[in-house]
Amino acid sequence: LNGVFYTANNIAYGALTALITKNGNERVQMGSLRFIFAYATSLVIQAITVNAVDALGGGAVGWKWIAVIYALAGLAINTFSVFSVKELPESELEDKKETEAPSEKIGYVETAKLLLSNKYFILVCGIYLMSHISNAFVGIGIYFMTYVMGDANLLGTFASFTNIPMIIGLLVAPSVIQKMNGMYKVNLVGYGFATFCRIMVIVGGFLGNVPMMLIFTALCNIGMSPMQGDLNALIAACSEYTYLTKGKRVDGSMFSATSLGVKLGGGLGTALTGILLDASGYVNAAAVQSASALNMLNFMYLWVPMILSLAITLLLSQMDVEKKNQALMANRI
């Protein structure tokens, strides 16, 4: 289901950002709206699912029916999107100088060469990969809250201080990016700020200061929100770079970076968390964990996301694709 149907849906859905408008600010707005609803839905799901399962009979029966309900809702929403969104005609998407040339079909091998020759595509893949590995490590929060912080209920509080600030940041990101005349500075400064906040979360963690951790967790997600909102627009700009340099469009394949990052990053992150927990001597469901397991939980939940945030910041410092596209378009006039 995930490897075939979700992949097909998600790549096509992501590519629509580049195919229904050429306006960069509109692309950022669409990306922001997409993730505003994603994070808001996540909050709703977390809030209602357990009670809904109980109301539907509890146990396996309750989980089965909630899965059916969520699946039907997803089917309805995706079907609405399919029949209501229209792509721009090729004559509008392409350069006026190229409109009379017939559309050229590109094979898999050539598509792969075009993607790998675009350094910005490689950078986006790296950003996605590290982002989803980081998400997997943050996902061990239940273990960190239970054994390090001593209160499993803190997980819900930290989830709120993650999702709500992200939604707020996504709401304001398009206007900030428009005022700054592009995504580059906003993404770089935002992630640099997020890295600093991650450091402060580490400090708060070692001090056992929960309010400090919550405040800097919230600020961190505000800092990360612009890139989360404009990532589709960034990929569209990468695709435009391939067109301007090679004269060929590979929009759908370019958006495979998102699917690659989700699956490879999520898979690697999940595998690494399990391997590291095992290596630390973690004992499942134990009342108390060993010192080595607690040290590993601190490293995984506090240090790894900060290190990956720093790495993403360094990659973003090289993502000057907007500037390159503007120069290329100026040379074509």
Side-chain angles (χ1 to χ4, degrees):
L1 178 65
N2 187 54
V4 179
F5 297 103
Y6 175 77
T7 299
N9 176 81
N10 200 48
I11 291 176
Y13 182 67
L16 282 173
T17 304
L19 298 174
I20 64 178
T21 178
K22 293 182 70 176
N23 184 291
N25 190 54
E26 288 182 351
R27 289 173 175 176
V28 173
Q29 289 175 1
M30 285 190 292
S32 293
L33 285 170
R34 173 185 181 180
F35 284 103
I36 285 170
F37 279 95
Y39 283 101
T41 301
S42 178
L43 280 173
V44 172
I45 294 296
Q46 291 175 39
I48 70 172
T49 299
V50 173
N51 289 334
V53 168
D54 290 339
L56 292 167
V61 173
W63 282 107
K64 178 187 74 174
W65 282 112
I66 200 68
V68 169
I69 291 168
Y70 287 165
L72 290 175
L75 176 63
I77 293 166
N78 273 286
T79 302
F80 177 78
S81 179
V82 166
F83 288 105
S84 63
V85 178
K86 303 296 181 184
E87 297 177 25
L88 292 173
E90 288 189 19
S91 59
E92 287 189 49
L93 288 170
E94 296 177 351
D95 193 312
K96 291 182 180 178
K97 296 177 182 178
E98 308 290 339
T99 53
E100 297 187 6
S103 299
E104 180 183 355
K105 291 186 177 181
I106 304 172
Y108 292 114
V109 174
E110 187 177 1
T111 298
K113 289 180 179 178
L114 288 170
L115 293 177
L116 294 175
S117 66
N118 185 335
K119 71 172 186 177
Y120 298 112
F121 173 77
I122 305 299
L123 288 171
V124 168
C125 284
I127 290 167
Y128 249 102
L129 181 67
M130 292 183 188
S131 177
H132 284 278
I133 291 175
S134 180
N135 289 343
F137 276 88
V138 173
I140 61 119
I142 183 62
Y143 304 106
F144 180 83
M145 301 305 164
T146 300
Y147 294 109
V148 178
M149 305 303 292
D151 184 0
N153 292 324
L154 282 172
L155 183 65
T157 306
F158 272 85
S160 297
F161 275 73
T162 296
N163 291 326
I164 295 173
M166 180 67 77
I167 292 170
I168 293 171
L170 287 167
L171 284 168
V172 301
S175 60
V176 173
I177 290 169
Q178 189 174 26
K179 288 179 181 177
M180 296 295 290
N181 296 317
M183 298 176 279
Y184 178 78
K185 289 182 180 179
V186 179
N187 287 343
L188 184 58
V189 172
Y191 244 88
F193 175 70
T195 302
F196 167 76
C197 292
R198 287 284 189 199
I199 294 171
M200 298 308 295
V201 171
I202 293 173
V203 174
F206 279 97
L207 291 175
N209 189 327
V210 174
M212 181 179 178
M213 293 178 70
L214 289 171
I215 289 169
F216 281 102
T217 294
L219 292 173
C220 174
N221 282 277
I222 290 175
M224 292 191 299
S225 62
M227 195 201 73
Q228 188 72 64
D230 68 31
L231 201 46
N232 271 11
L234 200 60
I235 297 173
C238 295
S239 184
E240 195 69 18
Y241 178 80
T242 292
Y243 176 69
L244 292 170
T245 54
K246 306 294 183 181
K248 296 178 180 179
R249 288 201 171 277
V250 286
D251 298 299
S253 297
M254 189 68 67
F255 277 86
S256 65
T258 63
S259 183
L260 176 68
V262 170
K263 292 177 176 58
L264 188 57
L268 282 173
T270 302
L272 285 171
T273 56
I275 291 168
L276 291 174
L277 281 175
D278 284 341
S280 72
Y282 172 82
V283 178
N284 186 39
V288 179
Q289 298 292 339
S290 65
S292 61
L294 294 177
N295 288 335
M296 182 61 76
L297 286 170
N298 273 308
F299 174 72
M300 292 168 66
Y301 187 78
L302 298 175
W303 285 92
V304 172
M306 185 279 291
I307 294 168
L308 292 173
S309 180
L310 177 60
I312 291 172
T313 303
L314 294 175
L315 292 181
L316 286 171
S317 70
Q318 304 301 309
M319 279 296 301
D320 58 345
V321 63
E322 295 168 286
K323 181 179 178 181
K324 287 293 176 66
N325 284 351
Q326 289 171 2
L328 288 167
M329 286 187 284
N331 290 333
R332 292 166 70 94
I333 296 176

